Amino acid sequence: KDAVEISLKDIDQLAKTSFPLCMRHMLEKLRENHHLKHGGRMQFGLFLKGAGLKLEDALAFWRAEFSQKVGSERFDKEYAYSIRHNYGKEGKRTDYTPYSCQKIISATPGVGDHHGCPYRHFGEENLRAALNKMGISGHPLDDIMDKVKNRHYQLACTMTFEAAHGVSCDTGINHPNQYFSESQKVLKA
Ligand code: SF4
């Protein structure tokens, strides 16, 4: 279990400093569209849970966005259940585990979906632009794109982590929540 606990008001700042690209992308799309399809709600919702977002904050977080699109009544009726479900509060009360990189990379996002792994699922132009936005350019960017071409997506993500944090990450990235906690360790050191 991660010792880190995140609260509602910190999400945007933490996304900038410590979320891996897959999760930064989904937060951006959620803020933009006030909606995420099922695959995104699962991948991003479970990540936030794993990062230490409490159920009450998770409900407030999703409600604030979705109510702008579908209204809060429909949110409470159609979407709140599945969020509680992810926290093990409904249905079979399974405590769902956040997805690993392997699982995310093997997803097959369709049109209008924003889940998946950007290194695997973005086109080259979009990926370059997204990495530029993280402040990565020049040689480090070319090296990352090289790994992507060779289908070494987690390695590309590890190199992004290293370029963004200015440290080496010898263990490599294999889970978005690991990316997050490693980042917090570096930033709080
Ligand atoms: Fe997310 Fe893992 Fe892809 Fe990095 S390698 S963007 S953490 S799924």
Side-chain angles (χ1 to χ4, degrees):
K1 265 250 143 180
D2 289 317
V4 203
E5 222 175 75
I6 71 177
S7 64
L8 195 53
K9 62 175 184 7
D10 300 329
I11 291 178
D12 292 274
Q13 185 52 38
L14 285 169
K16 273 193 208 126
T17 59
S18 296
F19 283 13
L21 189 51
C22 53
M23 304 303 171
R24 291 169 62 106
H25 176 61
M26 279 191 292
L27 178 61
E28 201 179 299
K29 288 297 165 187
L30 176 65
R31 294 284 191 227
E32 190 180 306
N33 303 329
H34 315 299
H35 191 270
L36 277 182
K37 290 176 142 189
H38 179 75
R41 296 199 301 276
M42 290 299 286
Q43 183 180 316
F44 191 36
L46 289 173
F47 166 78
L48 291 173
K49 180 180 107 168
L53 190 71
K54 294 264 176 296
L55 173 61
E56 285 314 307
D57 276 0
L59 285 167
F61 171 74
W62 292 101
R63 183 183 287 118
E65 289 300 337
F66 271 62
S67 59
Q68 296 178 55
K69 178 96 178 179
V70 302
S72 46
E73 215 170 287
R74 207 176 133 201
F75 172 84
D76 289 336
K77 239 192 239 158
E78 292 177 31
Y79 298 97
Y81 176 91
S82 72
I83 293 161
R84 286 197 300 272
H85 191 87
N86 279 351
Y87 278 75
K89 304 293 181 203
E90 299 281 3
K92 281 186 270 174
R93 297 185 180 260
T94 315
D95 209 353
Y96 290 96
T97 319
Y99 297 170
S100 67
C101 292
Q102 221 181 356
K103 183 173 169 114
I104 293 171
I105 287 168
S106 62
T108 50
V111 178
D113 275 326
H114 299 295
H115 64 283
C117 172
Y119 301 95
R120 166 76 179 84
H121 298 112
F122 277 19
E124 186 178 338
E125 290 287 296
N126 280 348
L127 181 56
R128 278 184 179 276
L131 289 167
N132 272 158
K133 254 173 106 178
M134 289 180 76
I136 297 162
S137 58
H139 278 304
L141 177 59
D142 291 337
D143 290 347
I144 292 166
M145 296 309 294
D146 230 44
K147 295 292 177 228
V148 170
K149 272 190 201 109
N150 291 305
R151 307 172 65 89
H152 296 307
Y153 309 116
Q154 286 172 231
L155 210 47
C157 188
T158 304
M159 289 166 71
T160 302
F161 180 97
E162 295 181 331
H165 293 81
V167 298
S168 67
C169 175
D170 300 332
T171 49
I173 297 300
N174 55 54
H175 199 292
N177 288 95
Q178 174 222 358
Y179 186 112
F180 176 70
S181 56
E182 299 277 345
S183 170
Q184 286 289 287
K185 256 187 251 163
V186 173
L187 296 175
K188 286 181 174 166

